[in-house]
């Protein structure tokens, strides 16, 4: 296998990641909305609304990047598209991982269960969605599950 083959394979891996990333947008919005509904009456109401707003911004950023790639994938080298994709995914993982801190703000076991159920669920979906980019998947899961 020569350098051209490796580059072509990497380009296909990046294209697969972009193609599969659209499927996770609505479930992430839905999950964020449920977190907002569950935690807005806790003692950190402002923080929950701020967190929700940042999640929405990262989802809009993701939609913008995915549509830009779909329309203009030939405009930049695939390494640039990969770097942009990493920025979006890493920021999303950090924001979602921070949701684990909501567990400590309430004594309601339903709230705890939901967050404990939600974060591994996101991790499971991300493992499949980002499987074509192994390094990105490992860092994403670390950011998501570490808190």
């Amino acid at each position: 296998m020569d350098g051209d083959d490796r580059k072509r394979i990497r380009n296909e891996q990046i294209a697969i990641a972009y193609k599969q990333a659209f499927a996770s947008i609505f479930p992430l919005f839905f999950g964020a909305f449920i977190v907002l509904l569950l935690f807005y009456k806790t003692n950190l109401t402002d923080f929950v609304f701020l967190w929700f707003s940042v999640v929405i911004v990262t989802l809009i950023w993701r939609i913008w990047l995915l549509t830009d790639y779909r329309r203009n994938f030939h405009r930049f080298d695939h390494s640039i598209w990969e770097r942009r994709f990493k920025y979006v995914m890493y920021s999303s993982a950090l924001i979602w991982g921070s949701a684990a801190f909501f567990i400590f703000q309430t004594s309601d076991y339903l709230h705890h269960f939901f967050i404990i159920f939600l974060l591994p669920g996101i991790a499971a979906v991300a493992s499949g969605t980002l499987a074509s980019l192994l390094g990105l998947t490992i860092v994403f899961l670390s950011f998501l599950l570490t808190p």
Side-chain angles (χ1 to χ4, degrees):
M1 186 181 313
D2 64 355
D4 289 339
D5 289 337
R6 290 177 200 268
K7 185 175 181 180
R8 190 173 63 248
I9 290 170
R10 189 61 176 179
N11 292 347
E12 285 298 317
Q13 290 172 327
I14 295 166
I16 289 169
Y18 269 93
K19 184 178 179 182
Q20 293 178 341
F22 265 110
S24 63
I25 292 171
F26 179 73
L28 289 174
F29 171 76
F30 184 71
F33 185 70
I34 298 298
V35 169
L36 177 68
L37 288 178
L38 287 175
F39 289 92
Y40 80 96
K41 289 187 178 179
T42 63
N43 57 351
L44 291 177
T45 303
D46 294 337
F47 183 71
V48 173
F49 278 107
L50 176 66
W51 177 86
F52 181 76
S53 300
V54 174
V55 168
I56 297 303
V57 167
T58 60
L59 288 174
I60 292 169
W61 184 20
R62 183 184 299 192
I63 292 168
W64 173 80
L65 180 66
L66 297 176
T67 55
D68 191 35
Y69 177 81
R70 189 175 277 179
R71 291 181 189 153
N72 303 310
F73 70 92
H74 58 281
R75 191 172 69 185
F76 297 109
D77 184 50
H78 277 81
S79 63
I80 293 172
W81 288 113
E82 182 179 10
R83 186 173 50 245
R84 290 178 176 180
F85 190 72
K86 284 180 180 180
Y87 292 154
V88 170
M89 299 312 291
Y90 292 163
S91 63
S92 180
L94 287 169
I95 297 303
W96 276 100
S98 70
F101 295 109
F102 292 147
I103 291 174
F104 304 113
Q105 304 308 318
T106 181
S107 60
D108 189 344
Y109 290 120
L110 176 65
H111 295 112
H112 295 183
F113 176 76
F114 182 77
I115 294 293
I116 291 169
F117 182 75
L118 179 72
L119 292 179
I122 292 172
V125 170
S127 296
T129 303
L130 303 174
S132 63
L133 300 172
L134 181 62
L136 176 100
T137 305
I138 292 169
V139 175
F140 181 90
L141 294 177
S142 298
F143 286 168
L144 179 68
L145 299 175
T146 298

